């Protein structure tokens, strides 16, 4: 089966509307499909290794259970509409001004492509995945204290930037599947990255080893050649000892690194290291936020208007995380596409 078809089957089983655990036969098929997809993505030569599927089975089962739990998490669609900015706490926190919403939608080439299809224009809206970076800083601000005002009070501000729109779809279910598809591909990427990083490290150590060996020969020639008759070589001999120690350590690291990537069995171990601990690679975290309209974290007794909501953050390994929301994008909110020629005429 082609990798794309395998991926579709797996995503549908884990992130589709019916994502409950299947029967034994279906579950074994899902484990086998996931294993084959990962092997094909990382290196198909792994199939030449005996019992590769058995060696990966435990980790793959853990990943399936973890992803199935993520797939059950509710993601209620957020309406991206200018008129909703004042009343919706998430919209108010995510966008600095109401006009930023249609401007953001207008910059999405994927969304415009989606609405170019007549059937999608008739539907009048698209569902998509909104992804943003969360930035949190400590600043000095002003705070009401009784009847007075206190200055230079440390405050924590939360802001959102780098807004991006992914995978416009006709239904919310299709968008959820796209989220699942990207998560699974990310896991395979992390497994492959471990191998590529080790390969690069081995190449760097190999170059370092060759350079140190050449440097050692050069310094020894300085001692043994004519220069040794004219100069005190005590310092040079100390330099030789230091280079020899570094070369020995580099050779040891090089051999150890090469051994970690030289065989298909080593590849399997790196894949298993990722899939046996899926919670370290990908997680969906929900965090309650209570912000002032200026983006400052506040308590429940804050006197002014609040943006109080639950933020959904997707962590995707190695300290990388994004705030996500499934969104509804009405066609009516999409500004007219600007003619490049008329735009250029403004500056002529």
């Amino acid at each position: 089966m082609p990798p794309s078809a395998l991926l579709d089957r797996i995503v549908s089983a884990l992130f589709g509307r019916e994502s409950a655990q299947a029967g034994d036969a279906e579950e074994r098929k899902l484990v086998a499909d996931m294993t084959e997809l990962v092997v094909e993505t990382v290196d198909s030569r792994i199939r030449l290794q005996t019992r590769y599927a058995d060696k990966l089975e435990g980790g793959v089962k853990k990943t399936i259970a973890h992803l199935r739990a993520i797939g059950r998490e509710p993601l209620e669609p957020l309406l991206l509409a200018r008129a909703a900015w004042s009343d919706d706490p998430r919209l108010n926190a995510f966008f600095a001004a109401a006009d930023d919403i249609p401007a953001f939608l207008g910059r999405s080439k994927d969304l415009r492509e989606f609405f170019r299809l007549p059937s999608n224009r008739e539907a009048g809206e698209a569902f998509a995945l909104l992804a943003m970076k969360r930035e949190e800083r400590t600043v000095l601000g002003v705070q009401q204290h009784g009847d007075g005002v206190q200055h230079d009070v440390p405050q924590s501000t939360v802001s959102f930037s780098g807004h991006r729109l992914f995978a416009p779809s006709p239904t919310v279910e299709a968008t959820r599947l796209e989220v699942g598809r990207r998560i699974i591909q990310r896991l395979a990427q992390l497994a492959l990255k471990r191998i590529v990083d080790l390969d690069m490290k081995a190449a760097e150590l190999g170059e370092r080893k060759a350079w140190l060996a050449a440097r050692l020969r050069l310094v020894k020639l300085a001692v043994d050649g004519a220069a040794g008759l004219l100069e005190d070589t005590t310092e040079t001999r100390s330099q030789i000892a230091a280079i020899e120690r570094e070369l020995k350590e580099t050779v040891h690291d090089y051999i150890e690194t090469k051994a970690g990537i030289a065989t298909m069995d080593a590849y399997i171990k790196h894949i298993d290291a990722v899939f046996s601990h899926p919670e370290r690679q990908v997680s969906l975290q929900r965090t309650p936020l209570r912000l002032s309209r200026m983006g400052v974290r506040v308590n429940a007794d804050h006197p002014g208007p609040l943006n109080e909501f639950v933020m959904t953050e997707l962590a995707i390994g190695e300290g990388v995380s994004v705030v996500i929301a499934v969104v509804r994008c009405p066609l009516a909110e999409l500004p007219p596409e600007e003619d490049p020629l008329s735009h250029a005429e403004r500056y002529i």
Side-chain angles (χ1 to χ4, degrees), residues 14-28:
L14 298 179
F15 294 89
R17 187 173 298 185
E18 303 297 332
S19 62
Q21 185 160 346
D24 290 344
E26 291 86 352
E27 195 70 8
R28 286 195 298 271

Side-chain angles (χ1 to χ4, degrees), residues 66 187 190 273-274 276-283 315-319:
H66 183 66
L187 285 171
L190 289 172
V274 171
S276 289
H277 303 283
E279 71 287 349
R280 299 178 187 173
Q281 319 303 332
V282 58
S283 63
I316 46 179
E318 300 177 351

Side-chain angles (χ1 to χ4, degrees), residues 80-327:
L80 288 187
R82 186 183 184 282
W85 181 80
S86 297
D87 299 324
D88 192 300
R90 286 186 293 172
L91 277 186
N92 195 269
F94 294 160
F95 295 92
D99 288 339
D100 291 344
I101 296 172
F104 166 66
L105 294 175
R107 291 193 296 269
S108 174
K109 294 181 180 178
D110 290 344
L111 188 61
R112 291 195 182 277
E113 284 294 325
F114 176 86
F115 282 124
R116 284 196 179 99
L117 292 176
S119 59
N120 293 335
R121 290 190 69 85
E122 289 178 9
E125 68 177 3
F127 292 89
L129 178 68
L130 172 64
M132 303 158 286
K133 296 177 183 177
R134 174 179 58 86
E135 298 176 358
E136 191 156 351
R137 296 188 303 162
T138 299
V139 299
L140 296 178
V142 177
Q143 182 176 304
Q144 189 78 26
H145 188 72
D147 295 332
V149 175
Q150 189 173 358
H151 295 271
D152 296 332
V153 178
Q155 296 177 332
S156 179
T157 66
V158 179
S159 60
F160 302 89
S161 63
H163 299 60
R164 298 184 66 188
L165 201 65
F166 293 96
S169 308
T171 64
V172 67
E173 288 79 14
T175 299
R176 289 180 64 89
L177 292 178
E178 180 60 24
V179 175
R181 183 175 288 104
R182 289 174 179 269
I183 288 174
I184 292 172
Q185 289 176 322
R186 174 65 172 170
L187 285 171
Q189 178 201 5
L190 289 172
L192 180 57
K193 185 177 183 300
R194 289 174 67 101
I195 296 167
V196 171
D197 286 350
L198 279 174
D199 206 7
M200 290 178 63
K201 181 182 177 182
E204 291 169 0
L205 287 171
E207 292 178 3
R208 181 70 178 170
K209 178 169 66 72
W211 182 85
L212 286 170
R215 176 70 176 159
L216 182 60
R217 292 195 302 271
L218 180 63
V219 177
K220 282 185 174 180
L221 283 173
V223 172
D224 299 334
L229 301 175
L230 304 172
E231 302 171 359
D232 184 358
T233 60
T234 303
E235 185 176 341
T236 308
R237 291 182 185 279
S238 297
Q239 190 178 5
I240 289 173
I243 295 173
E244 286 177 335
R245 285 195 300 272
E246 186 176 355
L247 178 60
K248 183 178 179 181
E249 292 171 1
T250 302
V251 169
H252 177 269
D253 290 345
Y254 176 76
I255 293 172
E256 192 174 69
T257 303
K258 287 294 287 184
I261 57 174
T263 65
M264 290 299 105
D265 193 54
Y267 278 33
I268 291 173
K269 289 179 181 177
H270 289 303
I271 295 171
D272 188 59
V274 171
F275 281 78
S276 289
H277 303 283
E279 71 287 349
R280 299 178 187 173
Q281 319 303 332
V282 58
S283 63
L284 202 63
Q285 183 175 351
R286 295 180 178 276
T287 306
L289 279 184
R290 186 182 292 114
L291 307 175
S292 73
R293 288 299 178 106
M294 299 300 293
V296 178
R297 285 185 180 270
V298 293
N299 298 323
D301 58 356
H302 180 72
L306 291 177
N307 286 328
E308 192 169 3
F309 61 98
V310 176
M311 176 182 67
T312 302
E313 204 159 12
L314 178 65
I316 46 179
E318 300 177 351
V320 179
S321 64
V322 292
V323 176
I324 64 168
V326 173
V327 293

